[in-house]
Amino acid sequence: MEVENHTVLSQFLLLGLSEDPELQPILFGLFLSMYLVTVLGNLLIILTVSSDSHLHTPMYFFLCNLSLIDICFTSTIIPKMLVNIHAHSKEISYLECLTQVYFFMIFVGMDDMLLTVMAYDRFVAICYPLKYTVIMNPRHCGHLVLMCWIIMLCFSLTHILLVKQLTFSIGTEIPHFFCEVAQLFKVASSDALIGIIVMYVSTALLVVFPVAGILYSYSQIVSTLVRMSSFLSKYKAFSTCGSHLCVVSLFYGTGLGVYLSSAVTHSPQESSIASVMYTVVAPMLNPFIYSLRNKDMKGALGRLLSRAASYS
């Protein structure tokens, strides 16, 4: 079999969610709608926080970063998928595929790490309220986000360098609707054992440490709330965590669902459908969770819409 070794001319075939021609217009409309809702919803969160001085706090600074990451996350995957559906094509070039893998890993990892940083922010706010403004000063918040970026850039670069060592057959088919590093290791013509080991170890670390950080933060928060005598104080303190807990549950719940579906079923198509939950649905729902469950956000959003209406 003729093999092409990662040249500019090499390409892959993304099999997508379905090969049924009648479903393609439905998929195009559905994913275009979800993509627009995701982008507009998260942009609205960023605009609302930026325009309201009451929301210029560490919690909303991290929320803005999360919204920006969610926009970039879905923009890494959905536009190429929509172009392929519209053009009745399955092709993606080798360079495009590696670029998609690189940025997908960065943004999904950033989602993971920012949720941990946000849990740390709530931990400091509730457990050390008098020191909160000192500990979570703007410089420290900036350093936390920068640290997340540096870790994920190195993590993604490591995997890209491992993928670059692999060879692929001409016209290699990827049973997914986007390029994912695990799928590339599976379809490679050369031995990908080292890459697979590195992928599993690094992914385990990126899951275990953030989850441990979130669990520790909330265990300390619960411990602090138990010691509070006033029910109103408990409610006010924990109400600031409600939206974050929902987003954390959605992110890890959909991720776990994808893992379990791939472990239980041997159908790549079913695994791809499950992947839609954390690649498209979760980023789309995040703005609704933060705007509907958060009194400050609802108030700021109302003021923003009122100003917009008065200008028009």
Side-chain angles (χ1 to χ4, degrees):
M1 180 165 54
E2 187 182 358
V3 174
E4 184 152 335
N5 184 10
H6 42 260
T7 66
V8 176
L9 297 175
S10 59
Q11 63 184 22
F12 300 104
L13 298 175
L14 292 172
L15 298 186
L17 293 172
S18 173
E19 295 188 21
D20 186 349
E22 294 181 0
L23 281 179
Q24 301 310 305
I26 298 173
L27 289 174
F28 183 86
L30 180 63
F31 279 89
L32 178 61
S33 302
M34 290 194 291
Y35 178 63
L36 292 175
V37 169
T38 301
V39 172
L40 293 175
N42 282 289
L43 278 176
L44 190 58
I45 291 282
I46 295 170
L47 185 60
T48 302
V49 173
S50 303
S51 64
D52 197 306
S53 59
H54 296 95
L55 301 183
H56 292 174
T57 63
M59 182 173 79
Y60 293 105
F61 168 73
F62 295 130
L63 176 58
C64 277
N65 278 274
L66 184 67
S67 292
L68 178 61
I69 293 300
D70 281 342
I71 292 172
C72 297
F73 182 28
T74 52
S75 297
T76 302
I77 301 167
I78 304 304
K80 178 60 181 175
M81 179 187 181
L82 294 174
V83 167
N84 278 8
I85 292 175
H86 183 68
H88 305 288
S89 171
K90 297 178 182 178
E91 295 178 0
I92 183 170
S93 71
Y94 180 79
L95 182 59
E96 283 179 321
C97 189
L98 285 194
T99 303
Q100 196 174 68
V101 168
Y102 181 67
F103 285 107
F104 171 78
M105 295 182 76
I106 288 175
F107 296 133
V108 74
M110 282 296 296
D111 250 353
D112 183 27
M113 300 194 78
L114 276 175
L115 289 173
T116 309
V117 170
M118 293 171 81
Y120 169 70
D121 171 69
R122 293 298 83 209
F123 158 69
V124 176
I126 294 173
C127 299
Y128 302 97
L130 298 179
K131 297 180 180 178
Y132 179 67
T133 54
V134 176
I135 296 173
M136 300 303 292
N137 60 74
R139 186 176 180 180
H140 183 54
C141 293
H143 285 165
L144 287 172
V145 173
L146 180 62
M147 179 188 68
C148 294
W149 275 107
I150 291 171
I151 291 171
M152 287 318 305
L153 287 169
C154 295
F155 172 83
S156 300
L157 184 60
T158 301
H159 284 80
I160 289 299
L161 292 175
L162 289 170
V163 172
K164 285 279 288 180
Q165 305 305 312
L166 304 176
T167 55
F168 300 91
S169 303
I170 292 176
T172 296
E173 294 183 342
I174 299 175
H176 217 309
F177 62 93
F178 67 97
C179 284
E180 193 178 35
V181 69
Q183 295 293 337
L184 290 181
F185 286 142
K186 282 182 184 178
V187 301
S189 302
S190 54
D191 184 20
L193 180 61
I194 294 175
I196 291 170
I197 292 172
V198 172
M199 179 186 70
Y200 278 119
V201 171
S202 55
T203 302
L205 291 174
L206 277 177
V207 171
V208 169
F209 282 106
V211 168
I214 291 170
L215 290 176
Y216 174 79
S217 295
Y218 276 103
S219 69
Q220 295 301 304
I221 287 170
V222 171
S223 176
T224 301
L225 292 178
V226 168
R227 293 196 297 269
M228 289 181 179
S229 56
S230 167
F231 174 79
L232 186 60
S233 299
K234 290 180 182 180
Y235 176 77
K236 282 184 177 178
F238 197 73
S239 65
T240 62
C241 304
S243 300
H244 179 256
L245 278 173
C246 287
V247 173
V248 167
S249 302
L250 184 64
F251 180 80
Y252 286 107
T254 53
L256 181 62
V258 171
Y259 174 76
L260 292 176
S261 68
S262 60
V264 171
T265 179
H266 296 290
S267 168
Q269 189 177 32
E270 290 183 17
S271 297
S272 297
I273 293 170
S275 298
V276 172
M277 292 302 294
Y278 82 92
T279 56
V280 184
V281 176
M284 181 183 69
L285 292 180
N286 287 352
F288 293 100
I289 292 171
Y290 272 102
S291 58
L292 294 177
R293 291 185 57 89
N294 189 302
K295 243 184 236 184
D296 294 334
M297 277 298 300
K298 281 194 283 189
L301 187 57
R303 288 190 290 272
L304 177 65
L305 294 176
S306 298
R307 286 201 299 272
S310 64
Y311 288 146
S312 61

